[in-house]
Amino acid sequence: MQKDYTGTTTVIVGGTHGMGLATARMLADGGGRVLVAGRNSANVAAANRALSPNGEAMVSDVAARADVETLAKYAEARLRSLDFLFVNVGVSELAPLAEITEETYDRHFSVNTRGAFFAMQQLSPLIRDGGSIVVTSSVADEGGHPGMGIYSASKAALVSLASSFAAELLPRGIRVNTISPGFIRTPTHGVAGLTDAERAEFEAIGNQTTPMGRNGTAEEVARAVLFLAFEATFTTGAKLAIDGGLGQKITAPLA
Ligand SMILES: NC(=O)c1ccc[n+]([C@@H]2O[C@H](COP(=O)([O-])OP(=O)(O)OC[C@H]3O[C@@H](n4cnc5c(N)ncnc54)[C@H](OP(=O)(O)O)[C@@H]3O)[C@@H](O)[C@H]2O)c1
C-alpha cells in the first residue's frame, strides 16, 4: 500500500537506479519531494523522467568533494531543510585479494567510505532536528567473502562511521541507521561490470544460498528504508538486515 509522504523532503545519494531509485519513487508517488544524485548522466536523465514532477535527479560524483558541496548547496536551494537523507551510494568490483591494485582499493574506499562520509558531513546540517539518515552497507560487511574483501572492508568502515554519526547527532534528535542488504535484484546486482550471463549466475547463487530461496527486490529494500526513515522513531545506531536470512545464522529445513 502506498504511504503518504506529502510535505516531506529527501535527498538520496546514489538514487538513480536500483534500490535508491525504488525508494525515491515510493516517496515521490506518495507526494514527497525528493532529490537524487548519481554519477552516470544517462541514469540521471532516466531518473529525472521517472521521478517527475515530485522528484529530480542531478549528476554528482560522491568521490569528488566539490561535487558533494555543490549537491548540498543545490539541496538547500531546492528543498531548504531535509526530513531524510539516504546515503545509498556504492561500488563493488569482484577480485581476489591477490589481484587488488591500488586503483581498485582507492575506488572502493573513495566512493563507499570517504564519499559516503563527506556526503553525511555536508548534508546533515540541512536535516531538520528530529529527521533521519539511513546508510546502505551490505551483508558482506561482516565475515569473509572471497572476491569481495575490499568492498567488505569499505562497508565495514562505513558502518562504524554511521554509528559515530548516530552518537554525534543525538542532541539534534536525528536518528542514523544502517541497512544491510543481501542478494537484491537491481540492474547491477550491486556489482560493477558484470555481463548479463554473470548477473544471471550471481542471481542464481543468491537463490541457492539465501535461506528464503530467492533474491530480494528493490521495492522490499525501499519499504524497509522508509520504515527506518519515518516510522522507527525509537531506533538509532541500528543495522537492519534485508537479506532473506542470509546473514542471520538460520538454515532452510532439509528437503
Ligand atoms: N544489489 C545488491 O545485491 C546489493 C547487496 C548489498 C549491498 N548493496 C549496496 O546497495 C547500494 C545500492 O545498490 P544497487 O544494486 O541498488 O545499485 P548500485 O549499482 O550499487 O548503484 C547504487 C547507486 O550509486 C550510484 N553511484 C555509483 N558510484 C557513484 C559515484 N561515484 N558518485 C555518485 N553516485 C554513484 C549509482 O549511480 P550511477 O551508476 O548512475 O552513477 C546508483 O545510483 C550500494 O551501496 C550497494 O553497494 C547492493
Side-chain angles (χ1 to χ4, degrees), residues 16-17 19 39-40 43 61-62 88 151 155 182 184 186 188:
T16 52
H17 59 83
M19 51 186 92
R39 190 183 48 171
N40 178 302
N43 291 339
D61 182 352
V62 82
N88 178 60
Y151 173 74
K155 290 290 195 182
I184 309 296
T186 66
T188 61

